[in-house]
Amino acid sequence: MTRRELREHCFKMLFCADFYPAEETAGQLERYFEATEEDETTPEGEIQILHQVDMEEKDRDYLLKKAGDALLKVPELDAGINAVAEGWKTRRMGKVELTILRLALYEILHDEEIPEKVAINEAVELAKKFGGDDSPSFINGVLARLVRGREEARKDNGADTVS
């Protein structure tokens, strides 16, 4: 399974889990893999798979770990998003956009295998697929501010250690 496919599944898992109380999170993540396959017919008459959870055990384990870790860090992630999302606190954001931002910020802060630019680009792609018309630019703007703030903090910390 590609990283993009895994990221999309992780997004869906986080999105679904957000509708349940925290104490039900683990069970909801497990139930994700019990969902039946969904497809639709495109206007061109082609069948497009919307949801398919038939995957290798290693991919399932990876998703459970990543989604579980991200859910544990939601307060930290939301604080980071709130710090830069001018005029848009997390409680006012759409669930799709908020989930994409949480996932991208989780990858930026806690997944050393994913470069910041890749996390941002993939978040924008998720926004194009699952969000509204303005979602990609909103996601890109918020994440760009987050990364800029991190770069400035690194520079400030570096300057402090030199003096």
Side-chain angles (χ1 to χ4, degrees):
M1 185 168 284
T2 67
R3 283 192 177 221
R4 179 168 282 178
E5 291 169 330
L6 288 168
R7 184 175 288 105
E8 188 173 311
H9 280 292
C10 192
F11 160 75
K12 290 177 184 178
M13 292 171 76
L14 293 172
F15 181 82
C16 292
D18 201 33
F19 288 93
Y20 294 91
E23 60 272 6
E24 293 181 27
T25 299
Q28 291 304 319
L29 293 179
E30 286 286 342
R31 280 190 206 100
Y32 177 82
F33 298 102
E34 298 169 7
T36 58
E37 182 175 304
E38 293 180 47
D39 60 44
E40 73 175 3
T41 305
T42 66
E44 297 80 27
E46 296 176 27
I47 294 177
Q48 179 181 19
I49 303 293
L50 298 175
H51 184 70
Q52 181 181 40
V53 292
D54 183 30
M55 64 183 70
E56 294 180 20
E57 191 69 26
K58 69 176 178 67
D59 291 334
R60 179 186 162 126
D61 292 345
Y62 170 83
L63 287 168
L64 285 169
K65 181 179 180 339
K66 184 172 182 172
D69 286 350
L71 286 169
L72 289 173
K73 293 180 176 27
V74 164
E76 170 197 347
L77 300 173
D78 285 0
I81 294 165
N82 283 328
V84 298
E86 297 169 8
W88 284 97
K89 297 299 177 194
T90 54
R91 67 181 181 275
R92 291 186 54 224
M93 290 179 191
K95 293 240 187 240
V96 168
E97 291 76 15
L98 179 57
T99 303
I100 293 170
L101 287 170
R102 285 173 174 165
L103 177 57
L105 185 55
Y106 173 81
E107 290 180 343
I108 290 168
L109 296 176
H110 302 287
D111 193 333
E112 294 177 9
E113 294 182 18
I114 300 173
E116 290 176 346
K117 290 181 181 182
V118 171
I120 293 171
N121 183 59
E122 291 296 322
V124 170
E125 291 302 315
L126 284 171
K128 288 176 184 176
K129 185 168 185 175
F130 295 103
D133 292 340
D134 296 332
S135 294
S137 59
F138 176 73
I139 297 293
N140 189 54
V142 171
L143 293 175
R145 276 185 240 124
L146 279 163
V147 169
R148 213 173 307 121
R150 281 175 45 90
E151 289 170 356
E152 290 170 6
R154 281 188 210 121
K155 287 178 187 174
D156 290 346
N157 287 338
D160 290 344
T161 57
V162 173
S163 11

